[in-house]
């Protein structure tokens, strides 16, 4: 083994420390890159040579080489943002994205998503975020993840009212109107209390349903009811409300021995009475009018009312919830679940390969890929948040110093060997 071998050991040290400095420089350059995971260099010694001396055979190293560059997939800190489509992952999962029309999947931790002009949820480079779609009935599709898109940016269609509930207390001390008196909206002496609510036809047009209550007999706690639609002719309701001595609804007149009110009275009513709205909306609409009433010694009052219809509405906002559900909000107050983001987890995260633009691709070394919804296994999703780079600037500068000193030491080896060779050549003079 000649003296020149020491020079080549120094050259190997220069090469590996140069590569290490490149990794450090890349880490520092990506200090503010969303979701960036820092890397580290791992060195290994090169194959040794055997030398023979009086003490026997020995080995002398031949320098150093770069073994691998590892990506460290540690958890980054979160930055709070004002965008409802910014999301971050706490855990080991990755967002799944792909080019539009391409089945190849890529993975990222950078959740700075947005919607493009076609309604696709994309990252800044235009890759479409993948998720499970919600069906029309509001349930999640059990199929494979696909492109997330809010397809309709126009009006959401109206929904006709099918149920209207009046949660009402009727005053136990109200004046008794008497048996056989017909309720007349124009004569408040014929009823004790009234309440109104808006309902919707199939076109989303609003209509006003007004309910009237009339105390028939105080002794039997019996109330008659009637209703009008848009102020048209009043329609009497054949069923009556009866209450026990504790003011609870008592449909079967058994006194509610268990102290619990019977189920609310539900009456199916046609709206309007003749079944035709005369505006092009579907005829024959029927509403379940639910009377959830009590009779206590308190003023008659509607405690709550609810109906399940709504008019047409314009898309006003699309955001992502903490469970990863993409929610479209409309001007009529309705919110529609569009899709739910999926996350990917790998048996060997070190097998991922950098693909640029904050993206990673899976190689054969990743092993089993598990793709599913956010949760304890794959990670939790947080909205209005972005994961920051995991690069520690202080640590990188310390590595820079040690790498620089290593480079200087190896360069000193080369210059020293050069001096030794010069002395060797001078022996011939």
């Amino acid at each position: 083994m000649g003296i020149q071998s020491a020079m080549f050991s120094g050259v190997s040290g220069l090469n590996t420390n140069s590569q290490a400095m490149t990794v450090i420089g890349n880490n520092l350059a990506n200090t503010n890159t969303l979701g960036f995971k820092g890397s580290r260099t791992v060195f290994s010694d090169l194959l040794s040579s055997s030398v023979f001396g009086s003490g026997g055979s020995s080995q002398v190293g031949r320098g150093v080489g770069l073994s691998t560059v590892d990506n460290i997939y540690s958890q980054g800190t979160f930055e709070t943002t004002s965008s409802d489509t910014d999301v971050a992952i706490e855990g080991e999962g990755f967002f799944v994205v792909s080019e539009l029309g391409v089945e190849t999947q890529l993975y990222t931790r950078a959740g700075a998503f947005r919607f493009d002009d076609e309604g696709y949820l994309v990252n800044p480079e235009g890759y479409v975020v993948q998720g499970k779609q919600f069906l029309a009935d509001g349930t999640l599709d059990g199929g494979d993840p696909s492109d997330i898109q809010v397809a309709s940016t126009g009006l959401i269609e109206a929904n006709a009212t099918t149920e209207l509930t009046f949660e009402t207390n009727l005053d136990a001390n109200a004046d008794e109107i008497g048996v056989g008196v017909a309720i007349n909206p124009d004569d408040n002496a014929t009823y004790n209390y009234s309440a109104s609510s808006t309902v919707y036809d199939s076109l989303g047009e609003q209509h006003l349903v007004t309910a009237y209550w009339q105390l028939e007999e105080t002794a039997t706690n019996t109330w008659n009811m009637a209703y009008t639609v848009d102020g048209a002719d009043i329609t009497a309701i054949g069923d009556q409300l009866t209450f026990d001595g504790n003011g609870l609804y008592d449909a079967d007149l058994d006194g509610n021995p268990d102290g619990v009110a019977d189920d609310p009275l539900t009456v199916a009513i046609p709206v309007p009475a003749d079944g035709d709205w005369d505006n092009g909306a579907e005829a024959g609409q029927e509403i379940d009018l639910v009377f959830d009433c009590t009779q206590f010694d308190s003023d008659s009052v509607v405690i709550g009312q609810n109906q399940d219809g709504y008019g047409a509405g314009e898309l006003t906002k699309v955001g992502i919830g903490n469970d990863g559900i993409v929610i479209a909000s409309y001007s009529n107050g309705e919110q529609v679940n569009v899709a739910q983001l999926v996350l990917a987890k790998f048996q060997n995260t070190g097998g991922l390969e950098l693909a640029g633009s904050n993206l990673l691709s899976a190689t054969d070394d990743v092993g089993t890929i598990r793709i599913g919804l956010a949760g304890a296994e794959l990670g939790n999703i947080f909205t209005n948040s972005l994961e920051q780079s995991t690069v520690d600037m202080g640590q990188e500068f310390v590595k820079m110093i040690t790498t620089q000193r290593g480079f200087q030491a190896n360069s000193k080896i080369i210059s020293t060997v050069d001096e030794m060779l010069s002395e060797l050549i001078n022996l011939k003079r």
Side-chain angles (χ1 to χ4, degrees):
M1 183 175 181
I3 191 172
Q4 287 179 304
S5 296
M7 180 177 289
F8 288 111
S9 294
V11 170
S12 70
L14 292 179
N15 288 333
T16 52
N17 281 284
S18 296
Q19 291 167 329
M21 188 63 74
T22 300
V23 173
I24 294 171
N26 183 63
N27 285 343
L28 290 172
N30 286 281
T31 301
N32 295 316
T33 300
L34 296 178
F36 181 80
K37 302 300 179 183
S39 303
R40 68 177 182 184
T41 51
V42 179
F43 296 165
S44 62
D45 63 335
L46 298 180
L47 183 65
S48 302
S49 298
S50 296
V51 295
F52 298 92
S54 60
S57 176
S58 301
Q59 289 182 309
V60 177
R62 298 181 61 187
V64 64
L66 178 64
S67 176
T68 184
V69 177
D70 287 335
N71 290 318
I72 309 301
Y73 292 99
S74 57
Q75 178 69 52
T77 57
F78 289 174
E79 173 193 0
T80 300
T81 72
S82 59
S83 174
D84 291 334
T85 56
D86 284 345
V87 283
I89 303 172
E90 182 185 59
E92 299 179 8
F94 292 79
F95 297 113
V96 182
V97 299
S98 67
E99 289 187 75
L100 186 62
V102 178
E103 294 184 0
T104 302
Q105 294 180 335
L106 297 172
Y107 310 95
T108 182
R109 293 279 294 196
F113 301 139
R114 65 204 66 192
F115 286 92
D116 65 10
D117 56 350
E118 296 182 3
Y120 287 101
L121 183 65
V122 298
N123 73 352
E125 285 70 39
Y127 288 83
V128 184
V129 184
Q130 303 295 292
K132 288 185 175 290
Q133 310 299 318
F134 279 92
L135 302 175
D137 60 1
T139 60
L140 200 62
D141 187 359
D144 294 333
S146 58
D147 297 341
I148 294 179
Q149 180 186 23
V150 180
S152 175
T153 57
L155 292 174
I156 183 176
E157 65 179 18
N159 183 58
T161 302
T162 60
E163 183 176 283
L164 169 60
T165 300
F166 286 105
E167 185 180 353
T168 311
N169 179 69
L170 300 173
D171 189 357
N173 285 326
D175 295 331
E176 180 180 307
I177 302 298
V179 179
V181 178
I183 297 176
N184 181 2
D186 296 326
D187 184 2
N188 57 17
T190 62
Y191 62 91
N192 299 89
Y193 186 61
S194 65
S196 300
S197 177
T198 299
V199 297
Y200 296 86
D201 61 25
S202 61
L203 295 178
E205 186 171 335
Q206 297 182 9
H207 303 276
L208 190 66
V209 172
T210 303
Y212 298 87
W213 288 266
Q214 178 197 77
L215 179 57
E216 181 180 283
E217 289 186 292
T218 304
T220 59
N221 298 319
T222 303
W223 294 73
N224 298 317
M225 293 168 294
Y227 74 97
T228 61
V229 179
D230 291 337
D233 293 340
I234 192 163
T235 303
I237 296 176
D239 298 272
Q240 294 178 314
L241 289 175
T242 55
F243 299 90
D244 64 14
N246 295 313
L248 301 178
Y249 176 59
D250 186 12
D252 52 14
L253 303 178
D254 65 354
N256 294 327
D258 56 0
V260 178
D262 291 340
D263 292 336
L265 172 64
T266 301
V267 181
I269 61 171
V271 286
D274 60 5
D276 190 354
W277 290 113
D278 295 327
N279 64 352
E282 292 183 4
Q285 183 175 345
E286 190 174 81
I287 295 178
D288 285 337
L289 192 56
V290 181
F291 294 97
D292 187 5
C293 299
T294 56
Q295 180 188 266
F296 298 134
D297 184 12
S298 179
D299 291 340
S300 295
V301 63
V302 173
I303 302 170
Q305 60 186 37
N306 181 59
Q307 61 85 34
D308 57 2
Y310 50 83
E314 295 179 349
L315 183 66
T316 57
K317 185 180 71 171
V318 182
I320 303 175
N322 280 337
D323 46 8
I325 296 179
V326 179
I327 304 172
S329 300
Y330 293 85
S331 59
N332 57 6
E334 290 300 305
Q335 292 186 324
V336 177
N337 292 338
V338 178
Q340 187 167 5
L341 273 64
V342 295
L343 300 180
K345 183 179 178 181
F346 307 94
Q347 188 175 8
N348 172 31
T349 309
L352 290 171
E353 188 175 75
L354 299 176
S357 300
N358 285 341
L359 300 175
L360 300 157
S361 61
T363 67
D364 293 338
D365 295 333
V366 299
T368 303
I369 303 176
R370 165 87 166 88
I371 295 180
L373 302 177
E377 178 187 0
L378 302 182
N380 297 313
I381 292 178
F382 292 87
T383 190
N384 295 107
S385 301
L386 290 173
E387 184 179 9
Q388 299 301 294
S389 171
T390 59
V391 174
D392 185 331
M393 293 182 64
Q395 189 177 48
E396 294 301 319
F397 280 122
V398 170
K399 289 182 181 179
M400 183 183 292
I401 293 172
T402 58
T403 301
Q404 181 182 10
R405 295 308 179 200
F407 187 91
Q408 290 175 334
N410 282 277
S411 64
K412 190 64 176 177
I413 292 173
I414 295 174
S415 62
T416 301
V417 171
D418 178 56
E419 292 175 1
M420 293 172 67
L421 288 173
S422 179
E423 290 295 327
L424 183 62
I425 291 172
N426 288 334
L427 290 176
K428 190 176 180 299
R429 293 180 181 178

